[in-house]
Amino acid sequence: FALFSLFIFKLRPKNFKFALQKMFSLIAEFWRYVTSKTEVNILIVGLDDAGKTTLLEKMKKIYTKKEGIPRSKIPPTLGLNVG
């Protein structure tokens, strides 16, 4: 690749620089897309003992692939709950 790039650079230095910039930007944008995480904000509203915290723990378990709090050990929520 280095030999080929040097050959192209000798033929057309301006075009090679442009092509290299385009190639780098394409690779950088692809890497940014692959490693990005989508962030979502959700508001859960309901009555007391309606299962809001249970739903939140279940969603955390599904989307983060981490073990949540077991259903039998979820305490009553005082204030607010952020997941």
Side-chain angles (χ1 to χ4, degrees):
F1 179 75
L3 183 61
F4 178 73
S5 62
L6 286 175
F7 178 71
I8 301 257
F9 184 75
K10 286 182 181 180
L11 290 179
R12 296 186 180 132
K14 205 173 207 180
N15 290 343
F16 175 73
K17 189 175 181 182
F18 178 73
L20 192 62
Q21 287 173 344
K22 285 292 185 183
M23 185 175 69
F24 177 73
S25 67
L26 179 68
I27 292 170
E29 195 61 37
F30 177 72
W31 181 255
R32 189 177 304 132
Y33 174 75
V34 169
T35 59
S36 69
K37 292 183 180 181
T38 305
E39 186 174 313
V40 179
N41 296 320
I42 298 174
L43 176 65
I44 303 173
V45 180
L47 300 174
D48 291 345
D49 292 328
K52 297 178 296 291
T53 305
T54 306
L55 177 66
L56 180 65
E57 290 298 323
K58 180 97 172 158
M59 288 171 55
K60 282 196 300 189
K61 183 178 180 181
I62 291 171
Y63 291 109
T64 62
K65 307 286 192 260
K66 294 179 182 174
E67 227 16 74
I69 301 172
R71 191 172 181 192
S72 60
K73 302 230 181 201
I74 295 176
T77 306
L78 301 175
L80 76 121
N81 202 351
V82 178

